[in-house]
Amino acid sequence: MNSTPVPVGMVTIFYGWILLGMLSPLVPGTANEGGSSFHPEDHTIDVLEVYGNINQSSIGLAIQSARAWLQTGTTVVVYFQAGTFNISTTNVTFSIDDIKPADDAWLVFKGAGMGDTVLRFDGLYDVISGRNVVRVRFEHLTFARQHLTTSQGIVVHASEEEIILDIQDGYPGIASIMGDPKRLPPGAGRFVRLYHVGVDGESCELTTGPDNGTIWPPTANRQVVWHNATRALGVRPASNRWILSNLKWPSGQPRYQPGDILGVKSKHNGQAFFVDGGASFAFDHVQWTEHSRGVIRGGLSNISVTHCRVDKSPLAPQSTPRKRVLGQCMSTSGGGPQLGQPNDPITYNVVVKNHTSAGTGDDSIALFHVGNASITDCHIEDSFARGILLYHSKDVQLARNTLVRCPLYNDSAVQDLTLSTANVPSP
């Protein structure tokens, strides 16, 4: 490719990367980055020190204790010491329904550092869930799963009816990523797409057409739907060969060839977070691995997602000096933060800054029915769907964002949404 950037409207392409710039200043009263308006930290609950363990029970007790302090107008920091903690669940762990601190207080869940405090869940339930939530912040933490949630492999055979796939060593068989059939509709979110080895000889990159993934829907390598998966018979016992069937090929899509690399996803069980209604919610220096899809909806305004990451899993096979292996293709089976929803009240005052995302299984950042927002300084690569999705959202500032092999998609019906800054709520 020519090394000279080629302007395409508001998008500049450079070696397959997209630099986005579309400026419209935020009105007064936007979400605060970095918590500059937060009440001083008045009371700390060190979960490990107070309860002797970090598990679902101790986290629940800490939240219960915090509720009483919050009603006095005291900011509460629920603190998690450094370490990796495997957490088994019987329901939601961070249950924060009706958190409404008095005065200007906040409830803050804080770790010792992103990558230093790792909370690794079994994935059966949503990690964070709350309705009517006011002034809650998560910071300096890693949320993870105890197992890989996507798979990948090499095509042995592909036809109109089936795909036979040898799963790469160290990745789960298809049955283990399909989720609980009692909780998910049959065939929910089951797709494959084509990947290739990067120039470094080991990274796994999404395959795109000549447009380098800047167009949606994709001009090449569209997702293929699969519904059923069975273990292949008649192969060596140790083989991890699977047959994907009941396929739906996009019209005109070439069939896969033997040796092709496929990433495989299926909608899984619990989400990273689900918050419905309230005001003022923040993630700062939070990392997600193995899972990433989360929703903040219900007209909840004043949302801040700053300095956060969705990364490839450390549980995936890694290259060593003696053996190079193909890196993980998809980091998670779902997308990243979804802020607002299509039929919800307008969500105002959204800040997404310095967000890094690699290989999400759906849209890496999605804004639905949002007014007065900014997405800046983000780096997104190899999203299974769109890197940034703007749906019926207006007055969104985009600046200094880099998208690699995935597009920005701005919904064509954006003009149907008329916003009045006079109706923008204050933080």
Side-chain angles (χ1 to χ4, degrees):
M1 183 180 294
N2 193 312
S3 61
T4 303
V6 181
V8 184
M10 300 301 293
V11 180
T12 298
I13 304 174
F14 185 74
Y15 286 112
W17 294 29
I18 309 170
L19 304 177
L20 306 176
M22 184 176 68
L23 302 177
S24 59
L26 297 176
V27 301
T30 57
N32 289 292
E33 178 199 342
S36 60
S37 68
F38 290 170
H39 194 279
E41 298 175 355
D42 291 335
H43 181 69
T44 298
I45 302 172
D46 186 320
V47 178
L48 186 59
E49 183 178 289
V50 174
Y51 301 105
N53 203 346
I54 293 179
N55 54 28
Q56 186 174 59
S57 176
S58 63
I59 294 171
L61 290 171
I63 293 173
Q64 182 179 342
S65 176
R67 287 179 182 271
W69 283 95
L70 294 169
Q71 294 314 303
T72 69
T74 301
T75 287
V76 178
V77 178
V78 178
Y79 179 70
F80 300 92
Q81 294 185 23
T84 297
F85 304 92
N86 290 324
I87 299 175
S88 300
T89 62
T90 57
N91 47 46
V92 173
T93 299
F94 289 86
S95 181
I96 53 174
D97 285 348
D98 299 309
I99 292 287
K100 296 180 180 179
D103 302 329
D104 295 324
W106 282 73
L107 173 58
V108 181
F109 296 96
K110 182 175 183 177
M114 184 169 58
D116 295 321
T117 299
V118 181
L119 306 182
R120 196 171 281 283
F121 294 84
D122 55 19
L124 299 179
Y125 299 88
D126 294 350
V127 174
I128 301 165
S129 182
R131 298 181 186 275
N132 303 315
V133 176
V134 177
R135 290 192 299 279
V136 173
R137 174 182 174 95
F138 290 81
E139 61 180 28
H140 303 291
L141 287 161
T142 293
F143 291 106
R145 291 279 177 86
Q146 296 170 12
H147 52 268
L148 296 175
T149 56
T150 63
S151 195
Q152 60 194 63
I154 307 299
V155 173
V156 177
H157 168 78
S159 68
E160 188 72 22
E161 294 79 25
E162 66 182 22
I163 298 169
I164 302 177
L165 200 63
D166 276 344
I167 301 301
Q168 182 182 339
D169 288 347
Y171 284 87
I174 305 303
S176 65
I177 67 169
M178 291 169 64
D180 183 353
K182 297 178 181 178
R183 301 181 61 204
L184 295 170
R190 295 176 182 170
F191 302 99
V192 297
R193 286 189 78 182
L194 182 66
Y195 291 77
H196 63 270
V197 182
V199 294
D200 61 1
E202 58 185 68
S203 62
C204 184
E205 299 177 351
L206 185 66
T207 298
T208 65
D211 58 272
N212 296 305
T214 61
I215 297 174
W216 189 266
T219 58
N221 188 24
R222 286 168 287 170
Q223 62 188 20
V224 175
V225 178
W226 62 275
H227 286 92
N228 302 320
T230 55
R231 190 77 175 259
L233 302 176
V235 295
R236 56 188 176 87
S239 173
N240 198 4
R241 178 172 291 181
W242 287 80
I243 303 172
L244 306 181
S245 58
N246 193 4
L247 308 176
K248 183 178 180 181
W249 290 90
S251 176
Q253 175 107 331
R255 302 304 179 251
Y256 300 130
Q257 299 298 312
D260 282 348
I261 302 167
L262 297 186
V264 187
K265 59 166 280 191
S266 173
K267 186 175 287 187
H268 227 57
N269 293 328
Q271 300 183 97
F273 52 91
F274 179 85
V275 183
D276 187 359
S280 301
F281 197 95
F283 289 108
D284 181 64
H285 287 88
V286 172
Q287 179 191 43
W288 291 274
T289 63
E290 299 89 38
H291 73 308
S292 56
R293 184 185 188 274
V295 178
I296 302 177
R297 61 172 305 177
L300 190 157
S301 294
N302 309 318
I303 300 169
S304 177
V305 181
T306 55
H307 314 294
C308 294
R309 305 182 61 91
V310 177
D311 285 316
K312 301 288 180 74
S313 173
L315 304 180
Q318 308 292 319
S319 290
T320 68
R322 293 189 175 185
K323 183 180 180 181
R324 300 181 78 184
V325 299
L326 176 65
Q328 188 177 31
C329 299
M330 266 186 291
S331 58
T332 68
S333 61
Q338 294 189 10
L339 309 179
Q341 287 291 281
N343 297 317
D344 281 2
I346 299 171
T347 294
Y348 293 98
N349 302 338
V350 172
V351 171
V352 181
K353 182 175 177 62
N354 192 28
H355 184 76
T356 300
S357 183
T360 56
D362 209 328
D363 304 316
S364 297
I365 299 171
L367 270 56
F368 298 90
H369 215 204
V370 168
N372 184 39
S374 67
I375 303 175
T376 60
D377 302 301
C378 298
H379 184 100
I380 300 168
E381 60 184 48
D382 295 316
S383 169
F384 198 86
R386 290 143 300 202
I388 297 174
L389 168 63
L390 304 178
Y391 179 88
H392 281 55
S393 295
K394 193 175 180 182
D395 295 335
V396 179
Q397 172 188 340
L398 299 174
R400 301 178 303 280
N401 299 302
T402 302
L403 276 70
V404 185
R405 295 178 294 272
C406 55
L408 162 73
Y409 183 75
N410 193 346
D411 174 68
S412 60
V414 66
Q415 64 271 18
D416 295 342
L417 180 62
T418 302
L419 302 180
S420 170
T421 56
N423 296 322
V424 176
S426 59

